[in-house]
Amino acid sequence: MSNYLFDEFQGVTPAKWKQKIQVDLKGADYNDTLLWKTEEGVTVKPFYTKEDRTNTKVNTPNKGFAICQSINIENEEKANLFAIDSIQRGANAVEFKAKKEFDYKTLLKGIDPQKTLLYFTFSFLSSEFIKELASFINSDNCFFNIDIIGNLASSGNWYSNLKNDHTQLEEITKTTKNAICVDTSIYQNAGATIVQQLAYTLAHANEYLNHFGGSAAKNIHFNFSVGSNYFFEIAKLRAFRVLWNALLKEYNTEATAHIFAQPSLRNKTLYDYNVNMLRTTSECMSAILGGANTLANSSYDKIFHQPNEFGERISRNQLLILQQESELAEAQNIANGAYYIETITQQLAQKTLEVFKLIEKGGGFLKQLKEGVIQRKIKESADKEQQLFDSGELVLLGTNKIQNENDKMKNDLEVSPFLKIRNEKTLIQPIIQKRLAEKLEQERLQNE
């Protein structure tokens, strides 16, 4: 093929682009006018070229992403029927959420764990029960979301106490694969910046590595919540894989991070709730392009409705559309080589490493959690974000901008969409997870 056409055009260097922009600014300063810094301290430029590529290698899954249906276990037979129906309608992963021990034989009847990824999220810790469940399933496709440090962070207490929790987790990990979860959604839903989320996740996981040794890395998996900052959330997941690999090198081991992702709850709204579908679609796309292994979408009415067939079907179909119609089935490596995404991935990784080193220098994640340092840092970031929302600089359409005054919600609340204050004694100050729109929504409900 002749290169004549392409030879007619000369390449333009970044310096020439910047010079052209400077002329068009008519005296205004390039740095002050067009460069902006995020809350994470990442500098965003108006244009990117191939010179910005970092060629950072990100080990993302090659088999595409799994579509997960989350199910609360209230009744084993009903949960089983719901799971089978979801699988028949396109899900190839199921997350079961349990508040107490359950009849796992009834729950899993007719479900093939060799073909379906299974996730179990527990609100309790019982080593004997979990070992029995793992033995019954007997599959590498099963993940147990056991996070004793995450429970301490979110509730303020251990399940029992530090010694007993660690002893039970040690018993579980002796015979059970994929038994340690690092639940990073706590930090995102509480209002932490992306850099804080990544640094706390890395330090959180490092506590398990310190306790169990580097070989435990293959037993650890991660739960992430994904926010609405589209490109930055793509970069967040990619940056984490880079950081995880770097940390494991210090332990002379290797393990590919298994990432379970779901949309954030922090930006979801009670009023004009259909907009939540747009938010979750964008967030799921970020998770896919960021390289998540499994996605569990949230229904548009989750914050105020009991789980229902329509909402769950719509949320599942959103993922099926992204996978099948939008042809993102195996899109985890699409971001490779993207100038902008590679640049912010590198910046996020660098800034995260700085915070991580400070945490380790300060005695480690658990020590700083007990001292309240982590909680204070997250609250500072959350308060800044809340101020931006309250002032209207951070916009949630239909809630703090372009409100529908005829929208009435008081009679539609099946569950409370607001933070519940618990009057119980805690060992440490828990990390408070709260939606941005709560105060405004409460005021509107009072005026209905």
Side-chain angles (χ1 to χ4, degrees), residues 17-34:
W17 272 116
K18 186 174 179 179
Q19 185 179 28
K20 171 61 177 171
I21 292 171
Q22 191 68 64
V23 171
D24 291 344
L25 286 173
K26 297 180 180 178
D29 185 76
Y30 171 85
N31 293 331
D32 293 339
T33 307
L34 297 181

Side-chain angles (χ1 to χ4, degrees), residues 111-118 136-142:
I111 299 174
D112 186 349
Q114 303 301 328
K115 296 180 180 179
T116 303
L117 283 170
L118 296 176
F136 175 77
I137 296 171
N138 190 28
S139 172
D140 291 344
N141 288 335
C142 186

Side-chain angles (χ1 to χ4, degrees), residues 90-127:
N92 54 356
V94 178
E95 178 195 19
F96 290 110
K97 299 180 179 180
K99 295 180 180 179
K100 59 183 180 179
E101 295 182 13
F102 50 87
D103 180 356
Y104 49 78
K105 292 182 180 179
T106 299
L107 180 71
L108 298 173
K109 184 178 179 180
I111 299 174
D112 186 349
Q114 303 301 328
K115 296 180 180 179
T116 303
L117 283 170
L118 296 176
Y119 297 84
F120 289 92
T121 300
F122 306 102
S123 298
F124 62 93
L125 184 62
S126 172
S127 57

Side-chain angles (χ1 to χ4, degrees), residues 34-73:
L34 297 181
L35 299 186
W36 61 279
K37 274 196 173 184
T38 68
E39 289 296 324
E40 293 84 5
V42 174
T43 300
V44 180
K45 303 190 297 184
F47 71 96
Y48 291 83
T49 69
K50 63 183 179 181
E51 278 76 9
D52 292 297
R53 290 186 63 178
T54 63
N55 296 313
T56 302
K57 184 178 180 181
V58 180
N59 296 321
T60 52
N62 296 316
K63 297 181 181 179
F65 65 93
I67 294 175
C68 184
Q69 178 66 60
S70 295
I71 301 173
N72 294 322
I73 305 174

Side-chain angles (χ1 to χ4, degrees), residues 70 95 97 183 185 223-226 260-264 296 298 302:
S70 295
E95 178 195 19
K97 299 180 179 180
D183 187 1
S185 63
N223 285 8
F224 274 89
S225 278
V226 180
F260 178 101
Q262 57 194 335
S264 168
S298 300
K302 177 178 180 177

Side-chain angles (χ1 to χ4, degrees), residues 356-365 367-368 371 373:
F356 171 75
K357 289 179 178 179
L358 288 175
I359 293 171
E360 294 304 304
K361 188 176 180 180
F365 182 77
K367 182 174 185 292
Q368 295 214 336
E371 293 174 351
V373 176

